[in-house]
Amino acid sequence: MDVAVFWVLAVLAVVGGVMVFRFDSMARATFSLLGSLLCVGGLVVLLGLDYLGIVIVLMMTIEMAIMAVFMVMYMMNPAGLMPMTMIHNKKGAAVVCGLVFALLAAGILLAPWPARRGKAPADPTMELGMSLMGPQMLTMMTLGMALFATIVATVVLATRRGRYDRFGDDLRARHADDPVRGGVGR
Amino acid sequence: MSLELFLLPAAALFSVGLFGALTQQSVVMLMMGLELMLGGVILAAAAAWHYIAPAAAEGQVLIVVAVTAMALEMAIGFAVVTALFRSREIDMTDMAAELKE
């Protein structure tokens, strides 16, 4: 049963990935990518990592929904459903990617992989949590800081008015030039 | 099933994603390529954890890092596209070439 599930998910993941760049509509490409990444989540569950697999499935579903919204926003046609081709250097990239796959496949098939060491814990989720809250705390803190920095950076990038709009070109103005007055001390 | 059997689709996903990242002109499509590449990395890390060192939690931590990288890449990518679109009304990489100057 597991073997059949593996083959179905593996083939669907790769075919979905290929179709992302074969479809000539961005909306279809988004859902193809969603299908491919859901299969990756399924394969992770098959490997015994239930929690991480479900996290991947949930995250990708939301992420691709947001991606579809952004595509509709930035596409120059209704809902991104019109045919379009926006690629460059297709042949060169195909050669590079073919070579990369050949090298990776050769490494995978020829490398002397070590034998399995140790036994999977009864509850891998508990093991992950204990690790992140213990010996891997620095990793957790780094990820937390990276997430926080991302929140700040995305707000700064996405906001319409920057500091140059508010304080002028040389940033020397004593008060910000805001369209609506208010806030602390103003 | 074996480690090699899981690593081959992971390598295929990585290569297909690389193709997208190299060829796509639309920034959003380029990000899709990056997502596929990270999907391949996640699958490879999960397979390595399962078939090489299931007792070590570090393999799982690597997957958490890759999943977080996926989320950050998308959030920052969309913010950059929004800033780019707002200032130049473009969403294509070729038209943003002036950024490197």
Side-chain angles (χ1 to χ4, degrees), chain A residues 82-132:
Chain A
M82 302 281 279
M84 51 85 201
T85 311
M86 292 186 296
I87 50 174
H88 52 190
N89 196 20
K90 196 175 172 183
K91 267 188 189 160
V95 170
V96 169
C97 296
L99 276 174
V100 167
F101 179 71
L103 277 172
L104 288 174
I108 289 165
L109 296 174
L110 299 176
W113 295 103
R116 193 179 200 202
R117 240 168 63 185
K119 231 176 76 179
D123 187 356
T125 310
M126 171 79 116
E127 190 80 2
L128 174 64
M130 295 303 282
S131 177
L132 284 174

Side-chain angles (χ1 to χ4, degrees), chain B:
Chain B
M1 284 181 294
S2 64
L3 174 65
E4 290 86 347
L5 217 48
F6 275 92
L7 289 181
L8 282 173
L13 283 175
F14 186 87
S15 306
V16 172
L18 182 64
F19 175 79
L22 290 176
T23 54
Q24 296 300 314
Q25 285 182 302
S26 161
V27 183
V28 184
M29 289 294 282
L30 188 152
M31 283 163 59
M32 287 185 159
L34 294 177
E35 295 272 312
L36 268 178
M37 289 170 80
L38 283 168
V41 171
I42 287 172
L43 183 55
W49 172 83
H50 183 84
Y51 285 103
I52 295 177
E58 284 76 13
Q60 290 196 68
V61 173
L62 180 63
I63 299 171
V64 172
V65 172
V67 170
T68 312
M70 260 177 152
L72 301 189
E73 171 250 313
M74 202 194 79
I76 288 287
F78 283 139
V80 169
V81 178
T82 304
L84 203 58
F85 195 82
R86 185 167 279 152
S87 64
R88 300 276 188 279
E89 294 209 356
I90 52 173
D91 70 333
M92 309 275 275
T93 52
D94 293 7
M95 294 175 188
E98 66 190 62
L99 288 177
K100 70 181 177 188
E101 288 163 11

Side-chain angles (χ1 to χ4, degrees), chain A residues 27 59 89 96 112 129 164-165 167 169 185:
Chain A
M59 205 182 92
N89 196 20
V96 169
Y164 292 104
D165 302 307
F167 291 100
D169 287 341

Side-chain angles (χ1 to χ4, degrees), chain A residues 30-103:
Chain A
T30 311
F31 289 107
S32 182
L33 180 63
L34 172 61
S36 175
L37 293 174
L38 289 185
C39 291
V40 170
L43 287 169
V44 172
V45 170
L46 194 64
L47 285 164
L49 297 173
D50 300 358
Y51 169 72
L52 288 174
I54 299 298
V55 165
I56 292 169
V57 166
L58 291 175
M59 205 182 92
M60 289 311 135
T61 310
I62 297 164
E63 208 174 299
M64 291 309 128
I66 296 171
M67 195 172 262
V69 170
F70 269 83
M71 286 191 162
V72 173
M73 272 166 64
Y74 292 126
M75 284 309 290
M76 300 308 157
N77 58 60
L81 284 167
M82 302 281 279
M84 51 85 201
T85 311
M86 292 186 296
I87 50 174
H88 52 190
N89 196 20
K90 196 175 172 183
K91 267 188 189 160
V95 170
V96 169
C97 296
L99 276 174
V100 167
F101 179 71
L103 277 172

